[in-house]
Amino acid sequence: MSMFSGKCDVCDCLVEIHQYTEEELRDHVKIYVGNSETPLKIESMKDLIPYYPYIIGSSGHDNVSKRAVIHISAESYVDRQEREMLDLYLKYALRYYNRCKRKKVEFNTEEAVKEIAWAHNEDIIREIVQRVKEKGKKANTEGLHIKWYDVYRKNLVDEMLKNGLNPADYGYGRFVKEEK
């Protein structure tokens, strides 16, 4: 599985399995992101790197002519999975919050964390619970990231840097150390 998502993603399929060349990607492969009706403009392998952690939803390949039409997800698998996990933690924190309001008992941060932290990520859950305690139903997960998913993002950032891309142009600026 791919080092960019842990799944069979764009990199795994197009680079590792089918081993498309730059010329084949440019001239014979059409890649559509999400519901877009316009294919990506791939001039070199470098153009494909930001899409490495995206999942292929459907594709048709002709292994003889190396022609293909590929539809990939609208966002990276890593981003989607992280968002869904954060949303789940928020849902459980809000459920605890609503129960406290209904029973007219004090919202206890530690109790809420214990109830929700059946998995890992206790620090993130604690932050979400604190946001719920302070903002109630207006709480959100904006700006939060789960460390496990950052492992995949760092792999992608390293690949971008190795190939002369600026990760900040693709939303990964927090991984790039500022040079002084």
PDB file of all heavy atoms in Angstrom, residues 92-93 96-97 99-100 105-118 125-126 129 133:
ATOM      1  N   TYR A  92     -19.613  12.999  19.428  1.00  0.00           N
ATOM      2  CA  TYR A  92     -19.694  12.385  20.760  1.00  0.00           C
ATOM      3  C   TYR A  92     -19.573  13.427  21.865  1.00  0.00           C
ATOM      4  O   TYR A  92     -20.245  13.329  22.901  1.00  0.00           O
ATOM      5  CB  TYR A  92     -18.633  11.301  20.929  1.00  0.00           C
ATOM      6  CG  TYR A  92     -18.962  10.034  20.190  1.00  0.00           C
ATOM      7  CD1 TYR A  92     -18.054   9.469  19.307  1.00  0.00           C
ATOM      8  CD2 TYR A  92     -20.184   9.393  20.360  1.00  0.00           C
ATOM      9  CE1 TYR A  92     -18.348   8.300  18.621  1.00  0.00           C
ATOM     10  CE2 TYR A  92     -20.498   8.228  19.675  1.00  0.00           C
ATOM     11  CZ  TYR A  92     -19.573   7.687  18.810  1.00  0.00           C
ATOM     12  OH  TYR A  92     -19.874   6.530  18.132  1.00  0.00           O
ATOM     13  N   ALA A  93     -18.736  14.440  21.665  1.00  0.00           N
ATOM     14  CA  ALA A  93     -18.611  15.504  22.661  1.00  0.00           C
ATOM     15  C   ALA A  93     -19.918  16.279  22.777  1.00  0.00           C
ATOM     16  O   ALA A  93     -20.353  16.617  23.888  1.00  0.00           O
ATOM     17  CB  ALA A  93     -17.456  16.436  22.291  1.00  0.00           C
ATOM     18  N   TYR A  96     -22.456  14.268  24.705  1.00  0.00           N
ATOM     19  CA  TYR A  96     -22.207  14.393  26.150  1.00  0.00           C
ATOM     20  C   TYR A  96     -22.708  15.758  26.653  1.00  0.00           C
ATOM     21  O   TYR A  96     -23.369  15.842  27.690  1.00  0.00           O
ATOM     22  CB  TYR A  96     -20.710  14.211  26.444  1.00  0.00           C
ATOM     23  CG  TYR A  96     -20.375  14.329  27.909  1.00  0.00           C
ATOM     24  CD1 TYR A  96     -20.466  13.235  28.760  1.00  0.00           C
ATOM     25  CD2 TYR A  96     -19.988  15.556  28.445  1.00  0.00           C
ATOM     26  CE1 TYR A  96     -20.175  13.353  30.102  1.00  0.00           C
ATOM     27  CE2 TYR A  96     -19.698  15.685  29.794  1.00  0.00           C
ATOM     28  CZ  TYR A  96     -19.791  14.585  30.618  1.00  0.00           C
ATOM     29  OH  TYR A  96     -19.505  14.708  31.952  1.00  0.00           O
ATOM     30  N   TYR A  97     -22.400  16.801  25.904  1.00  0.00           N
ATOM     31  CA  TYR A  97     -22.831  18.160  26.243  1.00  0.00           C
ATOM     32  C   TYR A  97     -24.363  18.229  26.357  1.00  0.00           C
ATOM     33  O   TYR A  97     -24.904  18.766  27.333  1.00  0.00           O
ATOM     34  CB  TYR A  97     -22.320  19.117  25.161  1.00  0.00           C
ATOM     35  CG  TYR A  97     -22.831  20.527  25.252  1.00  0.00           C
ATOM     36  CD1 TYR A  97     -22.245  21.451  26.111  1.00  0.00           C
ATOM     37  CD2 TYR A  97     -23.886  20.962  24.452  1.00  0.00           C
ATOM     38  CE1 TYR A  97     -22.701  22.758  26.186  1.00  0.00           C
ATOM     39  CE2 TYR A  97     -24.346  22.260  24.515  1.00  0.00           C
ATOM     40  CZ  TYR A  97     -23.749  23.150  25.391  1.00  0.00           C
ATOM     41  OH  TYR A  97     -24.210  24.444  25.454  1.00  0.00           O
ATOM     42  N   ARG A  99     -26.473  15.798  26.872  1.00  0.00           N
ATOM     43  CA  ARG A  99     -26.921  14.973  28.002  1.00  0.00           C
ATOM     44  C   ARG A  99     -26.785  15.765  29.309  1.00  0.00           C
ATOM     45  O   ARG A  99     -27.682  15.731  30.166  1.00  0.00           O
ATOM     46  CB  ARG A  99     -26.127  13.672  28.074  1.00  0.00           C
ATOM     47  CG  ARG A  99     -26.670  12.719  29.110  1.00  0.00           C
ATOM     48  CD  ARG A  99     -25.993  11.349  29.174  1.00  0.00           C
ATOM     49  NE  ARG A  99     -25.259  10.975  27.994  1.00  0.00           N
ATOM     50  CZ  ARG A  99     -23.957  10.651  27.996  1.00  0.00           C
ATOM     51  NH1 ARG A  99     -23.253  10.658  29.109  1.00  0.00           N
ATOM     52  NH2 ARG A  99     -23.353  10.306  26.883  1.00  0.00           N
ATOM     53  N   CYS A 100     -25.675  16.474  29.456  1.00  0.00           N
ATOM     54  CA  CYS A 100     -25.468  17.290  30.657  1.00  0.00           C
ATOM     55  C   CYS A 100     -26.526  18.386  30.763  1.00  0.00           C
ATOM     56  O   CYS A 100     -27.063  18.631  31.848  1.00  0.00           O
ATOM     57  CB  CYS A 100     -24.072  17.925  30.640  1.00  0.00           C
ATOM     58  SG  CYS A 100     -22.745  16.743  30.923  1.00  0.00           S
ATOM     59  N   VAL A 105     -26.784  18.825  34.736  1.00  0.00           N
ATOM     60  CA  VAL A 105     -25.568  18.564  35.509  1.00  0.00           C
ATOM     61  C   VAL A 105     -24.412  19.327  34.865  1.00  0.00           C
ATOM     62  O   VAL A 105     -24.459  19.678  33.684  1.00  0.00           O
ATOM     63  CB  VAL A 105     -25.227  17.046  35.587  1.00  0.00           C
ATOM     64  CG1 VAL A 105     -26.300  16.287  36.336  1.00  0.00           C
ATOM     65  CG2 VAL A 105     -25.006  16.463  34.213  1.00  0.00           C
ATOM     66  N   GLU A 106     -23.385  19.546  35.659  1.00  0.00           N
ATOM     67  CA  GLU A 106     -22.225  20.287  35.173  1.00  0.00           C
ATOM     68  C   GLU A 106     -21.463  19.481  34.115  1.00  0.00           C
ATOM     69  O   GLU A 106     -21.306  18.270  34.238  1.00  0.00           O
ATOM     70  CB  GLU A 106     -21.291  20.612  36.342  1.00  0.00           C
ATOM     71  CG  GLU A 106     -20.138  21.497  35.949  1.00  0.00           C
ATOM     72  CD  GLU A 106     -19.242  21.814  37.140  1.00  0.00           C
ATOM     73  OE1 GLU A 106     -19.706  21.739  38.288  1.00  0.00           O
ATOM     74  OE2 GLU A 106     -18.061  22.130  36.887  1.00  0.00           O
ATOM     75  N   PHE A 107     -21.002  20.177  33.097  1.00  0.00           N
ATOM     76  CA  PHE A 107     -20.189  19.569  32.037  1.00  0.00           C
ATOM     77  C   PHE A 107     -18.805  19.322  32.616  1.00  0.00           C
ATOM     78  O   PHE A 107     -18.101  20.255  32.997  1.00  0.00           O
ATOM     79  CB  PHE A 107     -20.110  20.520  30.838  1.00  0.00           C
ATOM     80  CG  PHE A 107     -19.397  19.954  29.642  1.00  0.00           C
ATOM     81  CD1 PHE A 107     -20.119  19.373  28.614  1.00  0.00           C
ATOM     82  CD2 PHE A 107     -18.012  20.005  29.539  1.00  0.00           C
ATOM     83  CE1 PHE A 107     -19.471  18.865  27.485  1.00  0.00           C
ATOM     84  CE2 PHE A 107     -17.355  19.503  28.425  1.00  0.00           C
ATOM     85  CZ  PHE A 107     -18.083  18.928  27.397  1.00  0.00           C
ATOM     86  N   ASN A 108     -18.411  18.059  32.702  1.00  0.00           N
ATOM     87  CA  ASN A 108     -17.120  17.682  33.278  1.00  0.00           C
ATOM     88  C   ASN A 108     -16.178  17.265  32.148  1.00  0.00           C
ATOM     89  O   ASN A 108     -16.383  16.218  31.511  1.00  0.00           O
ATOM     90  CB  ASN A 108     -17.324  16.535  34.279  1.00  0.00           C
ATOM     91  CG  ASN A 108     -16.052  16.146  34.970  1.00  0.00           C
ATOM     92  OD1 ASN A 108     -15.016  15.949  34.335  1.00  0.00           O
ATOM     93  ND2 ASN A 108     -16.139  16.029  36.284  1.00  0.00           N
ATOM     94  N   THR A 109     -15.158  18.069  31.907  1.00  0.00           N
ATOM     95  CA  THR A 109     -14.227  17.838  30.805  1.00  0.00           C
ATOM     96  C   THR A 109     -13.579  16.455  30.893  1.00  0.00           C
ATOM     97  O   THR A 109     -13.539  15.716  29.907  1.00  0.00           O
ATOM     98  CB  THR A 109     -13.130  18.925  30.792  1.00  0.00           C
ATOM     99  OG1 THR A 109     -13.764  20.194  30.671  1.00  0.00           O
ATOM    100  CG2 THR A 109     -12.171  18.724  29.636  1.00  0.00           C
ATOM    101  N   GLU A 110     -13.086  16.097  32.059  1.00  0.00           N
ATOM    102  CA  GLU A 110     -12.393  14.808  32.215  1.00  0.00           C
ATOM    103  C   GLU A 110     -13.336  13.632  31.979  1.00  0.00           C
ATOM    104  O   GLU A 110     -12.953  12.635  31.376  1.00  0.00           O
ATOM    105  CB  GLU A 110     -11.737  14.701  33.591  1.00  0.00           C
ATOM    106  CG  GLU A 110     -10.539  15.616  33.751  1.00  0.00           C
ATOM    107  CD  GLU A 110      -9.506  15.459  32.630  1.00  0.00           C
ATOM    108  OE1 GLU A 110      -9.115  14.323  32.302  1.00  0.00           O
ATOM    109  OE2 GLU A 110      -9.102  16.498  32.066  1.00  0.00           O
ATOM    110  N   GLU A 111     -14.560  13.758  32.461  1.00  0.00           N
ATOM    111  CA  GLU A 111     -15.556  12.702  32.251  1.00  0.00           C
ATOM    112  C   GLU A 111     -15.856  12.552  30.764  1.00  0.00           C
ATOM    113  O   GLU A 111     -15.956  11.439  30.242  1.00  0.00           O
ATOM    114  CB  GLU A 111     -16.833  13.095  32.989  1.00  0.00           C
ATOM    115  CG  GLU A 111     -17.523  12.191  33.954  1.00  0.00           C
ATOM    116  CD  GLU A 111     -16.890  10.884  34.333  1.00  0.00           C
ATOM    117  OE1 GLU A 111     -16.015  10.854  35.190  1.00  0.00           O
ATOM    118  OE2 GLU A 111     -17.322   9.859  33.776  1.00  0.00           O
ATOM    119  N   ALA A 112     -16.006  13.666  30.080  1.00  0.00           N
ATOM    120  CA  ALA A 112     -16.300  13.639  28.648  1.00  0.00           C
ATOM    121  C   ALA A 112     -15.149  12.999  27.880  1.00  0.00           C
ATOM    122  O   ALA A 112     -15.370  12.159  27.000  1.00  0.00           O
ATOM    123  CB  ALA A 112     -16.555  15.060  28.137  1.00  0.00           C
ATOM    124  N   VAL A 113     -13.913  13.367  28.222  1.00  0.00           N
ATOM    125  CA  VAL A 113     -12.746  12.792  27.538  1.00  0.00           C
ATOM    126  C   VAL A 113     -12.703  11.285  27.752  1.00  0.00           C
ATOM    127  O   VAL A 113     -12.473  10.522  26.808  1.00  0.00           O
ATOM    128  CB  VAL A 113     -11.431  13.467  28.007  1.00  0.00           C
ATOM    129  CG1 VAL A 113     -10.216  12.713  27.488  1.00  0.00           C
ATOM    130  CG2 VAL A 113     -11.394  14.919  27.561  1.00  0.00           C
ATOM    131  N   LYS A 114     -12.931  10.847  28.996  1.00  0.00           N
ATOM    132  CA  LYS A 114     -12.929   9.398  29.290  1.00  0.00           C
ATOM    133  C   LYS A 114     -13.980   8.664  28.468  1.00  0.00           C
ATOM    134  O   LYS A 114     -13.744   7.572  27.972  1.00  0.00           O
ATOM    135  CB  LYS A 114     -13.219   9.146  30.781  1.00  0.00           C
ATOM    136  CG  LYS A 114     -12.041   9.275  31.666  1.00  0.00           C
ATOM    137  CD  LYS A 114     -12.440   8.848  33.070  1.00  0.00           C
ATOM    138  CE  LYS A 114     -11.624   9.595  34.083  1.00  0.00           C
ATOM    139  NZ  LYS A 114     -12.111   9.370  35.449  1.00  0.00           N
ATOM    140  N   GLU A 115     -15.143   9.283  28.338  1.00  0.00           N
ATOM    141  CA  GLU A 115     -16.238   8.654  27.602  1.00  0.00           C
ATOM    142  C   GLU A 115     -15.949   8.557  26.100  1.00  0.00           C
ATOM    143  O   GLU A 115     -16.342   7.599  25.446  1.00  0.00           O
ATOM    144  CB  GLU A 115     -17.532   9.442  27.838  1.00  0.00           C
ATOM    145  CG  GLU A 115     -18.760   8.735  27.337  1.00  0.00           C
ATOM    146  CD  GLU A 115     -20.025   9.439  27.764  1.00  0.00           C
ATOM    147  OE1 GLU A 115     -20.212   9.674  28.969  1.00  0.00           O
ATOM    148  OE2 GLU A 115     -20.834   9.741  26.855  1.00  0.00           O
ATOM    149  N   ILE A 116     -15.262   9.537  25.576  1.00  0.00           N
ATOM    150  CA  ILE A 116     -15.021   9.600  24.137  1.00  0.00           C
ATOM    151  C   ILE A 116     -13.726   8.904  23.733  1.00  0.00           C
ATOM    152  O   ILE A 116     -13.629   8.321  22.652  1.00  0.00           O
ATOM    153  CB  ILE A 116     -14.989  11.069  23.660  1.00  0.00           C
ATOM    154  CG1 ILE A 116     -16.338  11.731  23.948  1.00  0.00           C
ATOM    155  CG2 ILE A 116     -14.656  11.159  22.188  1.00  0.00           C
ATOM    156  CD1 ILE A 116     -16.303  13.234  23.842  1.00  0.00           C
ATOM    157  N   ALA A 117     -12.719   8.955  24.582  1.00  0.00           N
ATOM    158  CA  ALA A 117     -11.381   8.461  24.213  1.00  0.00           C
ATOM    159  C   ALA A 117     -11.279   6.946  24.266  1.00  0.00           C
ATOM    160  O   ALA A 117     -10.343   6.403  24.815  1.00  0.00           O
ATOM    161  CB  ALA A 117     -10.323   9.115  25.097  1.00  0.00           C
ATOM    162  N   TRP A 118     -12.202   6.264  23.628  1.00  0.00           N
ATOM    163  CA  TRP A 118     -12.141   4.806  23.524  1.00  0.00           C
ATOM    164  C   TRP A 118     -11.099   4.415  22.501  1.00  0.00           C
ATOM    165  O   TRP A 118     -10.675   3.281  22.438  1.00  0.00           O
ATOM    166  CB  TRP A 118     -13.503   4.223  23.173  1.00  0.00           C
ATOM    167  CG  TRP A 118     -14.236   5.013  22.128  1.00  0.00           C
ATOM    168  CD1 TRP A 118     -15.173   5.968  22.351  1.00  0.00           C
ATOM    169  CD2 TRP A 118     -14.070   4.970  20.710  1.00  0.00           C
ATOM    170  NE1 TRP A 118     -15.599   6.522  21.172  1.00  0.00           N
ATOM    171  CE2 TRP A 118     -14.947   5.917  20.131  1.00  0.00           C
ATOM    172  CE3 TRP A 118     -13.265   4.213  19.856  1.00  0.00           C
ATOM    173  CZ2 TRP A 118     -15.033   6.126  18.775  1.00  0.00           C
ATOM    174  CZ3 TRP A 118     -13.357   4.430  18.498  1.00  0.00           C
ATOM    175  CH2 TRP A 118     -14.238   5.370  17.962  1.00  0.00           C
ATOM    176  N   ILE A 125      -9.033  14.919  21.407  1.00  0.00           N
ATOM    177  CA  ILE A 125     -10.365  14.800  22.012  1.00  0.00           C
ATOM    178  C   ILE A 125     -10.522  15.813  23.138  1.00  0.00           C
ATOM    179  O   ILE A 125     -11.556  16.472  23.253  1.00  0.00           O
ATOM    180  CB  ILE A 125     -10.615  13.359  22.504  1.00  0.00           C
ATOM    181  CG1 ILE A 125     -10.713  12.424  21.293  1.00  0.00           C
ATOM    182  CG2 ILE A 125     -11.861  13.283  23.368  1.00  0.00           C
ATOM    183  CD1 ILE A 125     -10.701  10.956  21.623  1.00  0.00           C
ATOM    184  N   ARG A 126      -9.474  15.982  23.942  1.00  0.00           N
ATOM    185  CA  ARG A 126      -9.518  16.963  25.028  1.00  0.00           C
ATOM    186  C   ARG A 126      -9.751  18.374  24.462  1.00  0.00           C
ATOM    187  O   ARG A 126     -10.537  19.154  24.997  1.00  0.00           O
ATOM    188  CB  ARG A 126      -8.221  16.919  25.833  1.00  0.00           C
ATOM    189  CG  ARG A 126      -8.237  17.787  27.078  1.00  0.00           C
ATOM    190  CD  ARG A 126      -6.987  17.608  27.932  1.00  0.00           C
ATOM    191  NE  ARG A 126      -6.612  16.233  28.195  1.00  0.00           N
ATOM    192  CZ  ARG A 126      -7.248  15.388  29.014  1.00  0.00           C
ATOM    193  NH1 ARG A 126      -8.323  15.802  29.647  1.00  0.00           N
ATOM    194  NH2 ARG A 126      -6.833  14.160  29.186  1.00  0.00           N
ATOM    195  N   VAL A 129     -13.405  18.584  23.290  1.00  0.00           N
ATOM    196  CA  VAL A 129     -14.274  18.668  24.463  1.00  0.00           C
ATOM    197  C   VAL A 129     -14.217  20.075  25.064  1.00  0.00           C
ATOM    198  O   VAL A 129     -15.250  20.647  25.434  1.00  0.00           O
ATOM    199  CB  VAL A 129     -13.891  17.584  25.507  1.00  0.00           C
ATOM    200  CG1 VAL A 129     -14.507  17.873  26.857  1.00  0.00           C
ATOM    201  CG2 VAL A 129     -14.292  16.203  25.010  1.00  0.00           C
ATOM    202  N   LYS A 133     -17.265  22.623  25.514  1.00  0.00           N
ATOM    203  CA  LYS A 133     -17.584  23.214  26.821  1.00  0.00           C
ATOM    204  C   LYS A 133     -17.713  24.733  26.704  1.00  0.00           C
ATOM    205  O   LYS A 133     -18.600  25.335  27.302  1.00  0.00           O
ATOM    206  CB  LYS A 133     -16.505  22.855  27.835  1.00  0.00           C
ATOM    207  CG  LYS A 133     -16.794  23.341  29.234  1.00  0.00           C
ATOM    208  CD  LYS A 133     -15.745  22.868  30.209  1.00  0.00           C
ATOM    209  CE  LYS A 133     -16.105  23.269  31.634  1.00  0.00           C
ATOM    210  NZ  LYS A 133     -15.141  22.744  32.595  1.00  0.00           N
TER     211      LYS A 133
END
